[in-house]
Amino acid sequence: MRYKAIVGIASKAGEDLRAWELHRAKELETEIAAAQAALAEAKEKEQRTAQAVRHWWRMAEDNVSRLSWLELADGPAPDLQARGSLLDRYLNEVKPLYQELVDAVLSLGWRSRH
């Protein structure tokens, strides 16, 4: 009787462990799928951001291209210290800075640009 009880308990424990493992496997599959989706979204956002940065840089270059005394550096490189969660904020900060550049170039007058 005792042997049957021990085998029954071990069998039940094995079934419980299998059930737990199946449940955990499903949870992990869900987490992996969510992580893959987040990664794909982050890559897409990175590409959109790089495109926006190139756009802003080209516009800035165009604004100062006629200033013969100004030598432009290479375009901006990714900032490895930047936080991805603040990406939209960073991009929004570019707009007023670009406008300041445009205003500064315009304030030079047409003679300074030739």
Side-chain angles (χ1 to χ4, degrees), residues 66-67 105-114:
R66 292 182 213 97
L67 301 173
V105 169
L106 290 174
S107 72
L108 292 172
W110 68 273
R111 290 183 189 168
S112 298
R113 285 182 265 157
H114 293 289

Side-chain angles (χ1 to χ4, degrees), residues 81-101:
Q81 302 299 321
R83 298 178 66 185
S85 61
L86 300 176
L87 192 55
D88 291 331
R89 179 177 161 198
Y90 297 148
L91 287 175
N92 288 332
E93 289 175 358
V94 171
K95 293 174 188 176
L97 294 173
Y98 172 75
Q99 190 57 50
E100 285 182 38
L101 172 69

Side-chain angles (χ1 to χ4, degrees), residues 36-50:
Q36 289 173 334
L39 180 61
E41 182 180 330
K43 284 181 180 181
E44 183 181 321
K45 191 170 188 177
E46 178 185 22
Q47 290 172 348
R48 284 192 319 264
T49 301

Side-chain angles (χ1 to χ4, degrees), residues 2-21:
R2 182 151 166 80
Y3 175 76
K4 280 186 169 182
I6 291 172
V7 169
I9 291 171
S11 177
K12 173 73 169 130
E15 290 172 10
D16 289 348
L17 180 59
R18 271 191 295 285
W20 178 84
E21 287 174 339

